[in-house]
């Protein structure tokens, strides 16, 4: 359903929702739409990425927290590799002809991480993740204030993004 901005409240009725008073402006520049990424480690999330998205974003998760987060665990590169394999099989089953990109958070370096970098070990992990088929990384660098955060970013750039 298309709705033009009239300056008045807009109502959109969908199969599973009613959105009242919502107008998304400005409209996306990309056509048909901006890239869609699906997050989550479950088979349902992976299947959804294969059928409906340009990217999949799994994340490290200990088995002890899987119930709390409502997704399955990824505790090792081997478990990530199994899930990537499932993504590829799911894509092939539906006849997808484009590759789903993969973004991952390296183990121990999630957002808001205070863990210091062991740069040689980190570079090795990056190479292992790349070999598994990971295209992008999301990481957190330590920093207690603006100055130390900027210093961490600069050091990361000098050691990793050379």
């Amino acid at each position: 359903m298309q709705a033009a901005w009239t300056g008045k409240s807009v109502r959109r009725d969908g199969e599973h929702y009613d959105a009242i008073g919502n107008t998304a402006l400005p409209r996306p520049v990309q056509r048909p739409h901006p890239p869609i990424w699906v997050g989550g480690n479950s088979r349902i999330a992976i299947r959804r990425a294969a059928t409906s998205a340009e990217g999949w974003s799994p994340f490290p998760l200990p088995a002890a927290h899987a119930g709390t987060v409502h997704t399955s665990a990824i505790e090792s590169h081997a478990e990530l590799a199994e899930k990537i394999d499932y993504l590829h099989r799911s894509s092939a089953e539906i006849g997808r002809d484009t590759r789903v990109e993969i973004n991952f958070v390296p183990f121990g370096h999630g957002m808001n991480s205070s863990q210091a970098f062991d740069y040689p070990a980190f570079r090795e992990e990056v190479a292992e993740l790349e070999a598994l088929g990971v295209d992008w990384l999301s990481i957190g660098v330590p920093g207690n204030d603006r100055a130390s955060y900027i210093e961490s970013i600069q050091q990361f750039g000098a050691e990793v993004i050379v």
Side-chain angles (χ1 to χ4, degrees):
M1 167 191 255
Q2 291 286 332
W5 173 247
T6 62
K8 299 178 184 174
S9 180
V10 176
R11 179 180 178 98
R12 295 179 190 262
D13 297 322
E15 184 177 341
H16 301 288
Y17 68 92
D18 292 328
I20 301 167
N22 293 320
T23 301
L25 294 173
R27 299 205 185 283
V29 173
Q30 292 105 328
R31 296 286 182 238
H33 52 72
I36 295 172
W37 283 71
V38 172
N41 301 343
S42 70
R43 291 173 74 86
I44 293 170
I46 296 167
R47 188 81 176 169
R48 187 174 297 124
T51 60
S52 305
E54 286 74 35
W56 173 52
S57 189
F59 52 92
L61 183 67
H65 298 290
T68 304
V69 180
H70 303 291
T71 196
S72 59
I74 296 180
E75 295 184 298
S76 67
H77 290 156
E79 289 179 354
L80 176 61
E82 289 173 13
K83 293 182 182 296
I84 291 172
D85 183 57
Y86 181 71
L87 173 68
H88 294 312
R89 287 192 325 267
S90 296
S91 294
E93 285 173 11
I94 63 168
R96 183 179 179 130
D97 59 359
T98 58
R99 186 176 171 281
V100 177
E101 292 190 20
I102 301 168
N103 177 68
F104 191 68
V105 179
F107 291 96
H109 292 287
M111 306 322 279
N112 304 316
S113 175
S114 60
Q115 179 177 335
F117 280 88
D118 172 346
Y119 288 108
F122 183 78
R123 286 189 295 271
E124 284 180 28
E125 180 173 7
V126 169
E128 290 175 30
L129 293 170
E130 183 179 25
L132 292 176
V134 173
D135 303 289
W136 302 91
L137 298 177
S138 294
I139 62 148
V141 296
N144 295 327
D145 54 35
R146 185 175 190 271
S148 63
Y149 187 67
I150 289 171
E151 184 179 322
S152 290
I153 292 170
Q154 290 171 334
Q155 185 175 5
F156 182 87
E159 294 283 344
V160 179
I161 309 173
V162 283

